[in-house]
Amino acid sequence: MSSARIVLSPDAVIGAVNPRIFGSFIEHLGRAVYGGIYEPGHPLADDRGFRRDVVALVKELGVSAIRYPGGNFVSGFRWEDSVGPREHRPRRLDLAWHSVETNEIGLHEFQDWLDLVGSELMLAVNLGTRGTAEALDLLEYANLDRGSTRSDQRAANGRPDPFDVRIWCLGNEMDGPWQLGHRSAEDYGKLAAQTARAMKAFDPDLELVACGSSSSAMPTFLEWERTVLRESYDAVDYISCHAYYENDGDLGSFLASGVDMDGFIRNVAAVADAVQAERGSDKRIDISFDEWNIWYNTRFENVDKIAGVDNWPVAPRLLEDVYSVADAVVFGSLLITLLSHADRVTSASLAQLVNVIAPIMTEPGGPAWRQTTFFPFAETSRHAGPVALDVSLTSDTYETERFGTVDVVTAVATYDQTSGSTAVFAVNRRIDGPTTLEIDVSALPGPVRADAVSLFDDDLDAANTAEDPERVRLRPTVPVSRTDDLIRIDLPAVSWTRVLLLPAGRG
């Protein structure tokens, strides 16, 4: 049996856990909106057409903020199409996903839905086919209390009070040749800087996200970040990261995907700090990891991509990946990586939320259910404390084709000084057997008791489906032995585990 050991100390602080790290993403893509969050006529739809079963699952998931409306979609989006009387809204071609956008759900309706689920709006502006003037119009419409044409228009459209959107994305993946309006790093950096300065002339307290690389595999990776930040450093607050992972048959490397994400974050932070030093600035740029997930993109590119000049469906089934136990374990390890960089990653968006590479799935007129990836996110968002801790990990290792020597166990902890509770999140990457995890709790104040749950299965391909929606679920994990200062837990092979350490005697 392999082994790993972590030492917990409330003083080993990585950084505060910003609630926005548990954000998500809804794009006007596939059945994310139409047939996902919104399905008039469904037995569980409310009087506005929102599925109440989906609302309940999103609240259970614990999503803090939601990035909207894209994604690739935003680079062709005209925000004016999405406001005003529905009967007057135009139907538009969405060139990003080769579909028709009806605009039945727009800014007002989406905010109504956010109010139901209790999430903050993270709004993206179109810097692909539009620019600074249109971004300012949207900002005025969304955030000005009263006294202008745009704010009066919002009030006339049924919302007298402002949306008061605090965090904005300045376009999407502008480094990608697939993006409408794709441009060079220098051109995008200048446009982002111009738009950011104009938006902050309206409200200097806005938080603005500049587009970083859409993947660490992009040929311009890091040089893109360097150029964009040299142009826009003083005007923006975040640089974005996007990363998706899939199992190509090399399970050992797939399980170590968090190593790649860790390197991505470290490299982007290093470039941002280098630009800070060049400029002699006191300001630090944080990271918004505003797209991350498991995504079987090869399936989409090879099988599901829509084409044809006369083929423009409405809300087609796109990117509806079914997630396995192995996928969920890797997903959980990505969350561990994000928390391990809580000092720098202060916003993150799981891409996406419903039906489209999502933890929540629905059927038209039928049920909604939790995918395997739902469980690590819900448990982490529920139990993570306000401070992330470095766990001083030592672990047995194994060899991978992509990443070389990798720890068998990856882990992070969070601490809540008020309640005295500590949450440990751990993944066992070992394929052929369990790993004993020793947790040294001697530095925690007073004796503790442990409660643990794990996600694992003998069948790594097991998944939750409409036919069997509860095939995979969390299982209790009992500490195998303990002393006052040492807790030992056997982590099942290929598993994600949450250990909650509570002061002894607390209910």
Side-chain angles (χ1 to χ4, degrees), residues 34 73 78 81-82 86-94 99-104 312-315:
Y34 308 110
F73 172 81
R78 309 177 208 191
D81 292 348
S82 76
R86 280 177 169 173
E87 62 271 20
H88 296 153
R89 295 181 193 174
R91 293 165 64 94
R92 300 285 191 189
L93 297 185
D94 169 25
S99 306
V100 168
E101 172 54 49
T102 67
N103 285 301
E104 189 174 354
W312 299 90
V314 174

Side-chain angles (χ1 to χ4, degrees), residues 33-51 86 104-105 364-365:
V33 175
Y34 308 110
I37 69 171
Y38 176 75
E39 189 182 338
H42 189 278
L44 294 176
D46 66 14
D47 56 1
R48 290 173 290 187
F50 296 126
R51 287 187 56 155
R86 280 177 169 173
E104 189 174 354
I105 292 294

Side-chain angles (χ1 to χ4, degrees), residues 162-423:
F163 293 95
D164 193 29
V165 182
R166 304 317 305 163
I167 184 166
W168 298 72
C169 298
L170 302 173
N172 176 75
E173 292 186 353
M174 299 308 300
D175 65 322
W178 58 85
Q179 201 73 215
L180 292 177
H182 160 67
R183 46 179 53 86
S184 69
E186 184 176 7
D187 287 347
Y188 168 71
K190 289 178 178 178
L191 177 58
Q194 173 182 291
T195 304
R197 292 186 182 108
M199 293 177 74
K200 288 199 171 183
F202 173 89
D203 182 350
D205 294 328
L206 295 177
E207 298 172 70
L208 305 180
V209 184
C211 292
S213 295
S214 52
S215 164
S216 61
M218 295 295 289
T220 55
F221 177 52
L222 297 183
E223 187 55 39
W224 172 275
E225 282 79 2
R226 182 176 292 106
T227 302
V228 167
L229 288 176
R230 281 173 171 166
E231 295 288 348
S232 65
Y233 195 94
D234 293 337
V236 303
D237 305 281
Y238 291 90
I239 189 77
S240 72
C241 295
H242 291 183
Y244 295 98
Y245 301 93
E246 62 180 293
N247 184 358
D248 62 3
D250 178 0
L251 180 59
S253 295
F254 178 54
L255 290 168
S257 295
V259 173
D260 180 85
M261 179 186 261
D262 177 77
F264 196 163
I265 293 168
R266 292 181 186 277
N267 285 331
V268 170
V271 169
D273 290 345
V275 176
Q276 179 187 12
E278 285 178 7
R279 301 178 69 88
S281 175
D282 294 331
K283 173 183 175 180
R284 191 184 75 166
I285 296 293
D286 279 344
I287 289 173
S288 176
F289 217 119
D290 51 39
E291 288 190 30
W292 68 272
N293 202 351
I294 312 302
W295 176 16
Y296 287 86
N297 188 34
T298 52
R299 297 176 187 169
F300 169 68
E301 292 290 343
N302 297 332
V303 178
D304 297 330
K305 206 164 189 176
I306 300 169
V309 71
D310 295 320
N311 182 25
W312 299 90
V314 174
R317 289 182 182 264
L318 282 175
L319 281 59
E320 297 196 8
D321 285 349
V322 176
Y323 291 123
S324 68
V325 168
D327 293 329
V329 171
V330 174
F331 179 98
S333 75
L334 300 179
L335 270 172
I336 288 170
T337 304
L338 292 173
L339 285 171
S340 296
H341 291 279
D343 59 328
R344 203 60 184 258
V345 179
T346 55
S347 177
S349 303
L350 162 62
Q352 295 190 15
L353 186 57
V354 184
N355 286 332
V356 173
I357 52 173
I360 298 169
M361 298 298 293
T362 72
E363 276 297 312
W369 66 96
R370 306 166 187 82
Q371 290 232 61
T372 58
T373 55
F374 184 99
F375 301 105
F377 192 103
E379 283 291 301
T380 306
S381 68
R382 178 182 177 188
H383 292 291
V387 173
L389 301 179
D390 184 340
V391 296
S392 185
L393 170 71
T394 55
S395 172
D396 287 346
T397 60
Y398 73 107
E399 295 301 314
T400 70
E401 183 175 335
R402 285 192 59 196
F403 306 114
T405 303
V406 171
D407 286 337
V408 168
V409 169
T410 182
V412 73
T414 65
Y415 182 67
D416 187 335
Q417 184 176 16
T418 302
S419 67
S421 64
T422 305

Side-chain angles (χ1 to χ4, degrees), residues 416-458:
D416 187 335
Q417 184 176 16
T418 302
S419 67
S421 64
T422 305
V424 177
F425 307 98
V427 159
N428 179 21
R429 295 167 170 151
R430 183 174 174 183
I431 298 169
D432 58 355
T435 296
T436 296
L437 175 64
E438 294 184 339
I439 306 175
D440 184 334
V441 298
S442 58
L444 297 182
V448 297
R449 62 179 181 85
D451 169 75
V453 294
S454 296
L455 189 143
F456 64 98
D457 199 280
D458 291 339

